[in-house]
Amino acid sequence: MRVIDSHQLRFGEMAGPLVHGAKFFDWQLISTQVFAREVGYSFEDLVADDAIPYAPVGVDTTVYRYPAFGETVSVDVEATHVGDSSLELVYEATDGDGEPLSTARMTHVTIAPEGGALSLPADVKQTLADHRVDRTVDAGPGDDPESDPSRFPTFEESFSVNAPHIESSELAYFEEYPRFADVALESFLAADGVSLAAISGDRQPYRIRDWHWEFKSPVRFNSELAVESDVRAVDDDAIRVEHTFRTEGSVRISGVTEYGCFDRAGNPTTFTPDMLTPFEG
């Protein structure tokens, strides 16, 4: 199902010449809302009943290319698994020529007002089953390579999670999490004397590329969110980081993120040695 059609990238969505990495999360959120409306289980109806619609449980994503300013992006969504209360969707973003930009697989549940996952209504479950496709999707980082944990750095940054008082769900926004992780990374680089403005040019480094994140419990507004980053492996193609998001000492999100380097057209390239120096002891 085509849920975003030829959206033109514009100022406010960019980080330098390429789209901001958090936009891939944003497109998933927008796409889920359109898909939900089409299958008769809309965000609007669920929010009206004080439920929290389509909360993420797990997400795996691979970015093949970052689109540049002025390009167009389309997103197609397919249901690949329908459970009693969970729904797995696959999101494929393509450019104006129909070439792939990213593939994501995300599992959702809807949280009841009193907590716990709502069962899908029988008619909605049947509609989703009618939409379901049988396919295997390869997305996210590969297996964890063997490495010496003492060789690479660990760093942490904390954020106050706030939002306008009109927000009904009282939960942190899905697309904010990669931004928090990016800020933690940029703060680490700045402490090491690395200026992103100075080091970026023909290469656009430290862009989120592959990730597997598991959402264990919600991050609520007015909480202090600690983002712990444990670098696990570094090579010319990727910087692999284990991320843990905590509030009040409890793990809310955990996973593995790989950052890559891209050229100004958005194609993957390699890091320069200077770009990797801050991550090696």
Side-chain angles (χ1 to χ4, degrees), residues 99-137:
E99 294 298 318
L101 294 170
S102 68
T103 298
R105 179 180 59 241
M106 184 154 61
T107 300
H108 303 266
V109 299
T110 292
I111 302 174
E114 64 278 7
L118 279 177
S119 296
L120 292 167
D123 58 335
V124 172
K125 189 173 179 180
Q126 183 59 55
T127 300
L128 289 168
D130 292 341
H131 279 80
R132 192 186 74 82
V133 298
D134 187 13
R135 58 176 294 191
T136 300
V137 176

Side-chain angles (χ1 to χ4, degrees), residues 89-254:
L89 298 177
V90 168
Y91 307 77
E92 292 186 309
T94 54
D95 63 17
D97 296 323
E99 294 298 318
L101 294 170
S102 68
T103 298
R105 179 180 59 241
M106 184 154 61
T107 300
H108 303 266
V109 299
T110 292
I111 302 174
E114 64 278 7
L118 279 177
S119 296
L120 292 167
D123 58 335
V124 172
K125 189 173 179 180
Q126 183 59 55
T127 300
L128 289 168
D130 292 341
H131 279 80
R132 192 186 74 82
V133 298
D134 187 13
R135 58 176 294 191
T136 300
V137 176
D138 183 17
D143 294 335
D144 192 5
E146 292 186 12
S147 64
D148 179 3
S150 63
R151 178 183 172 189
F152 303 110
T154 297
F155 50 94
E156 181 177 330
E157 190 81 11
S158 293
F159 304 88
S160 295
V161 180
N162 300 306
H165 69 280
I166 58 173
E167 174 60 47
S168 60
S169 72
E170 299 184 355
L171 301 181
Y173 298 113
F174 175 61
E175 64 272 25
E176 285 300 299
Y177 302 127
R179 290 191 178 99
F180 291 143
D182 280 353
V183 172
L185 176 57
E186 290 179 21
S187 297
F188 163 75
L189 292 169
D192 200 68
V194 176
S195 165
L196 275 178
I199 206 169
S200 299
D202 290 339
R203 283 177 166 85
Q204 299 288 304
Y206 317 127
R207 297 220 173 221
I208 188 170
R209 190 192 69 179
D210 295 275
W211 59 95
H212 167 77
W213 288 11
E214 297 178 4
F215 296 78
K216 302 178 184 301
S217 60
V219 176
R220 299 202 171 271
F221 292 152
N222 302 317
S223 61
E224 192 75 8
L225 179 66
V227 180
E228 302 170 7
S229 304
D230 184 8
V231 180
R232 303 297 296 175
V234 176
D235 61 32
D236 291 345
D237 294 316
I239 298 166
R240 188 181 183 99
V241 180
E242 288 188 1
H243 276 125
T244 306
F245 296 70
R246 301 179 191 268
T247 63
E248 300 177 343
S250 297
V251 176
R252 308 300 178 183
I253 305 167
S254 64

